Amino acid sequence: MNVQKVNYQKELEKLLKQLETEDKVPTLLIHSCCAPCSSYVLEYLSEYFKITVFYYNPNIYPESEYTKRILEQQKLIRDMKFRYPVSFLAGKYDKERFYAMAAGMEELKEGGARCMKCYELRLSEAARQAAAGGFDYFTTTLSISPMKNAQKLNEIGLRVGEEYGVKYLVSDFKKKNGYKRSIELSKEYGLYRQDYCGCEFSMRRTESL
């Protein structure tokens, strides 16, 4: 049976129009994987939401890379200008939790079951934080990457949002030249762009190519 794919960008645009009509500025917790990916997302969504960027990525390896990425994220928020406020929240670097999740899946290919579980780990924590903080919505920057499956990301986000009782903001940020714009903004703000997804397994794969 063929499952019909949802155009999540169109769904997002519908909601943004509705918010404008109602003259509302909701709060949004955005899980960010890195500064370059968040650049376009922040430029786009800060026109409609009061945003908190939640940096939770226990998959990042090594720790020096984690430190580099989190500092770049904070620098970008300081340097960019926004219509509505954007603040920053650092998650815990609990890498043991990531390795426990990845156990038995170390040799799987990128984009497979291990990656799906990693997305779920990070989105679940974002949903938990959003619920605890009383946010109207939460989402992730991950769908901006051409290498990430937006359909699966949104399915995971909607599911964990239901579990924690907080609305997931659907997205496919790579659409409407979002990925291209993120590259432009990265150059404009002099951002460090990493050459691997982040975990030890993706780094090994990049090094072997």
Side-chain angles (χ1 to χ4, degrees), residues 161-175:
E162 279 188 18
E163 286 173 16
Y164 284 93
V166 60
K167 293 177 190 172
Y168 180 72
L169 190 73
V170 297
S171 70
D172 192 353
F173 293 122
K174 70 179 74 65
K175 296 283 180 75

PDB file of all heavy atoms in Angstrom, residues 161-175:
ATOM      1  N   GLY A 161       5.412  14.650  20.289  1.00  0.00           N
ATOM      2  CA  GLY A 161       4.618  15.798  20.733  1.00  0.00           C
ATOM      3  C   GLY A 161       3.338  15.350  21.421  1.00  0.00           C
ATOM      4  O   GLY A 161       2.944  15.907  22.463  1.00  0.00           O
ATOM      5  N   GLU A 162       2.705  14.337  20.856  1.00  0.00           N
ATOM      6  CA  GLU A 162       1.483  13.781  21.473  1.00  0.00           C
ATOM      7  C   GLU A 162       1.803  13.166  22.829  1.00  0.00           C
ATOM      8  O   GLU A 162       1.048  13.318  23.784  1.00  0.00           O
ATOM      9  CB  GLU A 162       0.868  12.715  20.546  1.00  0.00           C
ATOM     10  CG  GLU A 162       0.040  13.305  19.421  1.00  0.00           C
ATOM     11  CD  GLU A 162      -0.702  12.230  18.635  1.00  0.00           C
ATOM     12  OE1 GLU A 162      -0.842  11.098  19.160  1.00  0.00           O
ATOM     13  OE2 GLU A 162      -1.126  12.516  17.514  1.00  0.00           O
ATOM     14  N   GLU A 163       2.936  12.482  22.896  1.00  0.00           N
ATOM     15  CA  GLU A 163       3.332  11.835  24.155  1.00  0.00           C
ATOM     16  C   GLU A 163       3.508  12.852  25.281  1.00  0.00           C
ATOM     17  O   GLU A 163       3.145  12.591  26.426  1.00  0.00           O
ATOM     18  CB  GLU A 163       4.643  11.065  23.962  1.00  0.00           C
ATOM     19  CG  GLU A 163       4.492   9.784  23.169  1.00  0.00           C
ATOM     20  CD  GLU A 163       5.837   9.127  22.852  1.00  0.00           C
ATOM     21  OE1 GLU A 163       6.848   9.503  23.504  1.00  0.00           O
ATOM     22  OE2 GLU A 163       5.883   8.263  21.953  1.00  0.00           O
ATOM     23  N   TYR A 164       4.070  14.006  24.946  1.00  0.00           N
ATOM     24  CA  TYR A 164       4.364  15.020  25.971  1.00  0.00           C
ATOM     25  C   TYR A 164       3.310  16.130  26.049  1.00  0.00           C
ATOM     26  O   TYR A 164       3.424  17.027  26.877  1.00  0.00           O
ATOM     27  CB  TYR A 164       5.748  15.627  25.722  1.00  0.00           C
ATOM     28  CG  TYR A 164       6.874  14.708  26.133  1.00  0.00           C
ATOM     29  CD1 TYR A 164       7.455  13.848  25.205  1.00  0.00           C
ATOM     30  CD2 TYR A 164       7.344  14.686  27.441  1.00  0.00           C
ATOM     31  CE1 TYR A 164       8.486  12.990  25.575  1.00  0.00           C
ATOM     32  CE2 TYR A 164       8.368  13.828  27.821  1.00  0.00           C
ATOM     33  CZ  TYR A 164       8.932  12.979  26.882  1.00  0.00           C
ATOM     34  OH  TYR A 164       9.947  12.131  27.259  1.00  0.00           O
ATOM     35  N   GLY A 165       2.332  16.070  25.152  1.00  0.00           N
ATOM     36  CA  GLY A 165       1.246  17.050  25.204  1.00  0.00           C
ATOM     37  C   GLY A 165       1.636  18.439  24.748  1.00  0.00           C
ATOM     38  O   GLY A 165       1.189  19.437  25.325  1.00  0.00           O
ATOM     39  N   VAL A 166       2.504  18.509  23.717  1.00  0.00           N
ATOM     40  CA  VAL A 166       2.908  19.807  23.167  1.00  0.00           C
ATOM     41  C   VAL A 166       2.859  19.721  21.638  1.00  0.00           C
ATOM     42  O   VAL A 166       3.168  18.674  21.060  1.00  0.00           O
ATOM     43  CB  VAL A 166       4.318  20.215  23.680  1.00  0.00           C
ATOM     44  CG1 VAL A 166       5.375  19.205  23.285  1.00  0.00           C
ATOM     45  CG2 VAL A 166       4.708  21.597  23.210  1.00  0.00           C
ATOM     46  N   LYS A 167       2.437  20.800  20.980  1.00  0.00           N
ATOM     47  CA  LYS A 167       2.264  20.777  19.526  1.00  0.00           C
ATOM     48  C   LYS A 167       3.601  20.775  18.802  1.00  0.00           C
ATOM     49  O   LYS A 167       4.490  21.569  19.126  1.00  0.00           O
ATOM     50  CB  LYS A 167       1.464  22.001  19.066  1.00  0.00           C
ATOM     51  CG  LYS A 167       0.024  22.011  19.519  1.00  0.00           C
ATOM     52  CD  LYS A 167      -0.637  23.302  19.066  1.00  0.00           C
ATOM     53  CE  LYS A 167      -2.000  23.478  19.692  1.00  0.00           C
ATOM     54  NZ  LYS A 167      -2.557  24.820  19.402  1.00  0.00           N
ATOM     55  N   TYR A 168       3.715  19.905  17.810  1.00  0.00           N
ATOM     56  CA  TYR A 168       4.912  19.870  16.972  1.00  0.00           C
ATOM     57  C   TYR A 168       4.667  20.717  15.730  1.00  0.00           C
ATOM     58  O   TYR A 168       3.664  20.546  15.036  1.00  0.00           O
ATOM     59  CB  TYR A 168       5.245  18.431  16.562  1.00  0.00           C
ATOM     60  CG  TYR A 168       6.478  18.354  15.698  1.00  0.00           C
ATOM     61  CD1 TYR A 168       7.736  18.565  16.246  1.00  0.00           C
ATOM     62  CD2 TYR A 168       6.394  18.099  14.335  1.00  0.00           C
ATOM     63  CE1 TYR A 168       8.885  18.515  15.459  1.00  0.00           C
ATOM     64  CE2 TYR A 168       7.530  18.040  13.544  1.00  0.00           C
ATOM     65  CZ  TYR A 168       8.772  18.246  14.110  1.00  0.00           C
ATOM     66  OH  TYR A 168       9.902  18.211  13.329  1.00  0.00           O
ATOM     67  N   LEU A 169       5.572  21.628  15.454  1.00  0.00           N
ATOM     68  CA  LEU A 169       5.475  22.481  14.270  1.00  0.00           C
ATOM     69  C   LEU A 169       6.084  21.728  13.092  1.00  0.00           C
ATOM     70  O   LEU A 169       7.298  21.544  13.020  1.00  0.00           O
ATOM     71  CB  LEU A 169       6.235  23.793  14.504  1.00  0.00           C
ATOM     72  CG  LEU A 169       6.036  24.884  13.447  1.00  0.00           C
ATOM     73  CD1 LEU A 169       4.656  25.510  13.570  1.00  0.00           C
ATOM     74  CD2 LEU A 169       7.115  25.955  13.584  1.00  0.00           C
ATOM     75  N   VAL A 170       5.228  21.264  12.189  1.00  0.00           N
ATOM     76  CA  VAL A 170       5.722  20.489  11.046  1.00  0.00           C
ATOM     77  C   VAL A 170       6.546  21.381  10.124  1.00  0.00           C
ATOM     78  O   VAL A 170       6.358  22.600  10.073  1.00  0.00           O
ATOM     79  CB  VAL A 170       4.562  19.830  10.262  1.00  0.00           C
ATOM     80  CG1 VAL A 170       3.823  18.821  11.133  1.00  0.00           C
ATOM     81  CG2 VAL A 170       3.610  20.864   9.688  1.00  0.00           C
ATOM     82  N   SER A 171       7.471  20.760   9.400  1.00  0.00           N
ATOM     83  CA  SER A 171       8.352  21.563   8.546  1.00  0.00           C
ATOM     84  C   SER A 171       9.028  20.704   7.490  1.00  0.00           C
ATOM     85  O   SER A 171       9.134  19.478   7.623  1.00  0.00           O
ATOM     86  CB  SER A 171       9.447  22.218   9.402  1.00  0.00           C
ATOM     87  OG  SER A 171      10.348  21.213   9.858  1.00  0.00           O
ATOM     88  N   ASP A 172       9.493  21.360   6.458  1.00  0.00           N
ATOM     89  CA  ASP A 172      10.471  20.792   5.532  1.00  0.00           C
ATOM     90  C   ASP A 172      11.303  21.988   5.086  1.00  0.00           C
ATOM     91  O   ASP A 172      11.111  22.552   4.016  1.00  0.00           O
ATOM     92  CB  ASP A 172       9.800  20.097   4.348  1.00  0.00           C
ATOM     93  CG  ASP A 172      10.793  19.265   3.539  1.00  0.00           C
ATOM     94  OD1 ASP A 172      12.009  19.348   3.839  1.00  0.00           O
ATOM     95  OD2 ASP A 172      10.374  18.545   2.622  1.00  0.00           O
ATOM     96  N   PHE A 173      12.212  22.399   5.952  1.00  0.00           N
ATOM     97  CA  PHE A 173      12.909  23.676   5.790  1.00  0.00           C
ATOM     98  C   PHE A 173      13.809  23.745   4.551  1.00  0.00           C
ATOM     99  O   PHE A 173      14.216  24.831   4.156  1.00  0.00           O
ATOM    100  CB  PHE A 173      13.713  24.014   7.044  1.00  0.00           C
ATOM    101  CG  PHE A 173      12.861  24.305   8.248  1.00  0.00           C
ATOM    102  CD1 PHE A 173      13.008  23.565   9.414  1.00  0.00           C
ATOM    103  CD2 PHE A 173      11.904  25.312   8.221  1.00  0.00           C
ATOM    104  CE1 PHE A 173      12.223  23.835  10.530  1.00  0.00           C
ATOM    105  CE2 PHE A 173      11.104  25.585   9.323  1.00  0.00           C
ATOM    106  CZ  PHE A 173      11.275  24.840  10.482  1.00  0.00           C
ATOM    107  N   LYS A 174      14.123  22.574   3.966  1.00  0.00           N
ATOM    108  CA  LYS A 174      14.945  22.609   2.759  1.00  0.00           C
ATOM    109  C   LYS A 174      14.175  23.173   1.566  1.00  0.00           C
ATOM    110  O   LYS A 174      14.773  23.627   0.589  1.00  0.00           O
ATOM    111  CB  LYS A 174      15.494  21.219   2.429  1.00  0.00           C
ATOM    112  CG  LYS A 174      14.462  20.218   1.948  1.00  0.00           C
ATOM    113  CD  LYS A 174      15.059  18.871   1.615  1.00  0.00           C
ATOM    114  CE  LYS A 174      15.442  18.057   2.808  1.00  0.00           C
ATOM    115  NZ  LYS A 174      14.309  17.638   3.659  1.00  0.00           N
ATOM    116  N   LYS A 175      12.842  23.143   1.653  1.00  0.00           N
ATOM    117  CA  LYS A 175      11.991  23.665   0.580  1.00  0.00           C
ATOM    118  C   LYS A 175      12.131  25.187   0.478  1.00  0.00           C
ATOM    119  O   LYS A 175      12.577  25.839   1.406  1.00  0.00           O
ATOM    120  CB  LYS A 175      10.520  23.303   0.832  1.00  0.00           C
ATOM    121  CG  LYS A 175      10.223  21.809   0.815  1.00  0.00           C
ATOM    122  CD  LYS A 175      10.173  21.282  -0.608  1.00  0.00           C
ATOM    123  CE  LYS A 175       9.867  19.796  -0.650  1.00  0.00           C
ATOM    124  NZ  LYS A 175       8.465  19.503  -0.379  1.00  0.00           N
TER     125      LYS A 175
END
